[in-house]
Amino acid sequence: MTKPPPLIFENSHDGGSLPALQMLVTDIFTWEILYQISQFAIKVAFMKYSKIIVNPKKANSDKAKATLMELGPSYVVSFVHSLYVTARGVMHLYSLWAASNMDKIYIGPEGDYREAHLEVARTNILFVAYLFYDMIHILHQYPKLGGGDTMAHHMLFAFCSVINGTFGIMPFQFGWLIVGEMSTIFLNWRWFLLKSGRDSGVLLENVNTMFAASFFLTRIVMYTAGIVHLYIFSMSELKSLSSPEVSGVPLSALGITCGCMLLGWLLNLYWGSKILRKVARGRTNVTVKSTEPVAAKAGKKNRRSKRE
């Protein structure tokens, strides 16, 4: 007998769909409360420490203050989100590292990894809630926080997360995907430095280096290893997911999820190549600048020898 299709997020909570949806709504409000707290904190900080927050030598104080007060709260929430889900992603990878390929790809109703699976599902709901919260603010402040491409990205990945949470699939894969948010930590930090007039110096260089390093570690190396493991070493398990005896996920929905992961991998490779070119150009500029004084001194010595 064919089992009926699961309700939304049914496989994300022991209590079924309703508790999972309640969790989703609670998380959306939690992100919004954090936004409101951040907005208030930034206003108070500018009232007391405006000259410390904005570098008056490098930035228009009024313009920087307006930008930080208007868009800063969203970046604070993004910073907190990326920190939290990165930490949980590392936890998920550790807890499922020794699991079988089937346990890595399917959240069963019971088993040795049931607790670890439900923790993944919890993070997935938290992530979807953040995407919904962020889309509301993107529309409200359109296009200052992002354009149509950002909205499309959020909707597509929210859809994939709902599929995975509903049918209970891809728990280990979610781990190495969400760990990619590590680079967002440094991207947000970089935004604050630039908008506050700190567009040069050792701190910005270190943040740029950490962004590039975290991007290549998580979104290139780990992502590539995950893709290889999924499509080469777990192909038989992947094909079995659509079976009614396993998750019963429709092939179309499974295809969208797998397609998005492949598309994300290709985009990361493209963005990674652009970052690598920028890093290479930066090193070239540093090399040129460092050799200019040497060349100048050599030129002076040559001119002196000709005079003599």
Side-chain angles (χ1 to χ4, degrees):
M1 181 178 178
T2 304
K3 61 181 179 181
L7 299 174
I8 186 169
F9 283 124
E10 185 173 329
N11 286 294
S12 294
H13 196 284
D14 273 336
S17 178
L18 183 58
L21 289 174
Q22 290 173 338
M23 194 181 294
L24 175 66
V25 173
T26 301
D27 287 347
I28 293 173
F29 278 103
T30 300
W31 290 123
E32 180 58 29
I33 290 170
L34 181 58
Y35 174 90
Q36 297 298 332
I37 293 173
S38 302
Q39 189 176 53
F40 177 75
I42 291 173
K43 287 180 180 178
V44 172
F46 266 109
M47 289 172 61
K48 296 184 176 182
Y49 311 107
S50 180
K51 293 182 180 180
I52 298 176
I53 297 172
V54 177
N55 183 359
K57 296 180 180 179
K58 294 287 186 72
N60 183 310
S61 297
D62 293 334
K63 183 179 180 182
K65 179 180 178 180
T67 300
L68 288 169
M69 289 185 68
E70 182 182 14
L71 305 181
S74 290
Y75 281 87
V76 170
V77 177
S78 175
F79 183 81
V80 173
H81 167 263
S82 55
L83 271 174
Y84 187 60
V85 297
T86 297
R88 287 188 65 85
V90 172
M91 179 185 74
H92 300 327
L93 291 176
Y94 176 79
S95 62
L96 293 173
W97 190 262
S100 66
N101 284 350
M102 181 55 76
D103 283 323
K104 280 183 167 73
I105 206 170
Y106 174 57
I107 299 177
E110 56 186 18
D112 296 336
Y113 292 94
R114 180 61 180 171
E115 185 176 345
H117 283 157
L118 289 179
E119 286 294 328
V120 174
R122 177 72 188 91
T123 308
N124 183 49
I125 291 175
L126 189 78
F127 174 64
V128 175
Y130 172 78
L131 293 178
F132 286 158
Y133 142 85
D134 201 40
M135 282 191 283
I136 293 170
H137 282 274
I138 290 172
L139 291 173
H140 178 66
Q141 296 177 282
Y142 193 86
K144 295 179 180 179
L145 289 173
D149 55 339
T150 306
M151 286 295 296
H153 168 275
H154 279 24
M155 288 189 288
L156 191 59
F157 277 91
F159 180 68
C160 290
S161 289
V162 170
I163 290 173
N164 295 350
T166 298
F167 290 94
I169 60 175
M170 308 292 182
F172 187 72
Q173 289 70 31
F174 178 81
W176 49 258
L177 283 168
I178 204 67
V179 163
E181 288 296 307
M182 181 187 291
S183 62
T184 307
I185 298 170
F186 302 102
L187 197 62
N188 288 326
W189 193 352
R190 183 178 184 274
W191 183 88
F192 277 104
L193 290 175
L194 294 176
K195 296 304 177 183
S196 62
R198 295 168 175 83
D199 56 354
S200 61
V202 177
L203 180 57
L204 181 63
E205 290 179 3
N206 289 338
V207 170
N208 284 337
T209 300
M210 291 302 295
F211 165 70
S214 60
F215 187 96
F216 277 96
L217 174 64
T218 61
R219 298 190 180 229
I220 302 296
V221 177
M222 291 183 65
Y223 205 128
T224 300
I227 288 292
V228 170
H229 179 268
L230 177 63
Y231 289 102
I232 295 179
F233 296 102
S234 305
M235 182 55 72
S236 60
E237 290 83 2
L238 182 62
K239 290 179 178 178
S240 70
L241 286 179
S242 60
S243 170
E245 287 75 26
V246 187
S247 74
V249 58
L251 283 174
S252 57
L254 182 61
I256 291 172
T257 297
C258 293
C260 284
M261 283 193 287
L262 283 173
L263 178 61
W265 178 57
L266 294 174
L267 283 173
N268 284 336
L269 291 177
Y270 171 71
W271 290 331
S273 66
K274 292 183 71 174
I275 293 171
L276 191 61
R277 286 196 295 270
K278 286 184 178 180
V279 171
R281 283 201 299 270
R283 288 182 176 178
T284 302
N285 291 337
V286 170
T287 303
V288 170
K289 290 178 181 178
S290 64
T291 57
E292 281 175 353
V294 178
K297 290 179 182 179
K300 288 180 181 179
K301 288 181 179 180
N302 290 335
R303 286 195 294 271
R304 285 174 184 172
S305 61
K306 285 180 180 179
R307 288 173 184 171
E308 292 172 356

